[in-house]
Amino acid sequence: HDADAQRAFDDLIANERRIEPRDWMPEAYRKTLIRQISQHAHSEIIGMQPEGNWITRAPSLKRKAILIAKVQDEAGHGLYLYSAAQTLGITRDEMTDQLIDGRARYSSIFNYPTPTWADMGAIGWLVDGAAICNQVPLCRASYGPYARAMVRICKEESFHQRQGFEILLALMQGSPEQRVMAQDAVDRWYWPSLAMFGPPDDQSPNSAQSMAWKIKRFSNDELRRRFVGMLVPQAEALGVTLPDPDLRYDADQGVTAMGEIDWDDFFAVLRGDGPCNAERIQRRRTAHEEGAWVREAAAAYAAKQAAPRTE
Ligand code: FAQ
């Protein structure tokens, strides 16, 4: 019976069909999806903090409204993704506990500070740009609920990326001080955004199996290279310099050479030793604790609605 179930699963994967929550699936497939989707959800939720930092200080009402909308979208993405993970048998409470206890991973990128307004531009352009590049292929992931969540998320990420680009463009067309601020933000976010794609292929323990299961469609290094190739003409349009003297780009062949990422810094951030790891988790934990009364009130209200009417 198990062999039949495995064969049915293998056929669905081989034929580019989707695995749905009620289908049989190997335990390892379920586990790796819970791992990746919950990490992705946590990234969206923690990812609200670096930009949330600028909502009260945005330089105009219009900029403030746009930034609020973007951060709100990130909350929405986190919620879709938690729901997708829940279809695999983990509860929202378990995922939340893993995050606020510091046991869960979330993207390394959100452990860096946002000292200037130009960081809002660099995050949109580089971080959302990297997210799109990584996530468009995930729209074809073999697990239905994850793939479908990605479609809407990618549409919203495209708007986020454009708004970041436009912030940087406005700064690059501004005063000399504003141009320096924009370039400084690009210098600080460029390398960490490349690290978002994960470790090099020969140090990526999950890639081979995730690609065989058609969760991942391209390797970490392939997507990273594709991303840099997208950035080069955009950097030129902006008038900013990508801080990699070894970068070689050819319009026909794309990126032919690039410098080495500081992997020691990446692994330090993964261990929890990045500049903002402790602050990010503490803030999430406090927000969760301060929200306890809202959850209690919602549960009490739901119970009251479910109870039979007495009048
Ligand atoms: N940070 O074997 P691999 C966003 C871990 S976008 C932290 O290569 P895999 C939008 C990895 O989990 C950001 N950890 O792993 C936004 C694994 O550890 P584990 C979120 C990382 O899964 C924009 C170990 O290293 N996007 O939020 C990172 O095959 C602006 C070995 O790595 C996603 O999550 C990293 N950068 O490939 C929001 C996309 N890289 O679990 C707000 C979905 C690797 O064994 C503002 N995820 N690790 O303990 C993926 O595509 C994949 O999971 C990868 C990693 C590509 C991230």
Side-chain angles (χ1 to χ4, degrees), residues 284-301:
R284 182 84 273 288
R285 189 183 303 129
T286 305
H288 185 68
E289 287 165 4
E290 289 176 352
W293 71 271
V294 179
R295 292 189 295 280
E296 281 161 25
Y301 180 74

Side-chain angles (χ1 to χ4, degrees), residues 166-306:
E166 197 270 337
I167 288 176
L168 289 178
L169 191 62
L171 291 172
M172 290 305 290
Q173 290 170 348
S175 66
E177 289 82 358
Q178 286 173 317
R179 283 198 289 279
V180 168
M181 187 166 81
Q183 181 64 55
D184 169 65
V186 170
D187 290 347
R188 283 181 291 106
W189 290 93
Y190 178 75
W191 290 106
S193 76
L194 298 195
M196 287 172 70
F197 294 91
D201 291 348
D202 57 4
Q203 293 173 57
S204 166
N206 301 299
S207 275
Q209 183 61 71
S210 288
M211 286 175 74
W213 277 328
K214 299 184 181 171
I215 299 169
K216 287 170 91 159
R217 296 286 180 159
F218 301 98
S219 79
N220 298 355
D221 286 330
E222 267 176 279
L223 289 175
R224 186 167 17 245
R225 191 171 285 271
R226 185 186 290 189
F227 174 57
V228 175
M230 282 166 46
L231 290 181
V232 171
Q234 294 177 10
E236 225 164 87
L238 282 172
V240 297
T241 307
L242 297 176
D244 179 0
D246 298 323
L247 177 59
R248 298 287 173 273
Y249 176 80
D250 174 297
D252 294 325
Q253 293 177 42
V255 173
T256 55
M258 54 191 276
E260 189 60 31
I261 291 170
D262 182 350
W263 293 113
D264 290 342
D265 175 66
F266 172 75
F267 287 114
V269 171
L270 259 59
R271 280 197 310 273
D273 296 333
C276 302
N277 293 62
E279 176 189 330
R280 300 290 186 239
I281 294 294
Q282 180 55 49
R283 183 133 181 227
R284 182 84 273 288
R285 189 183 303 129
T286 305
H288 185 68
E289 287 165 4
E290 289 176 352
W293 71 271
V294 179
R295 292 189 295 280
E296 281 161 25
Y301 180 74
K304 198 168 151 193
Q305 293 297 304

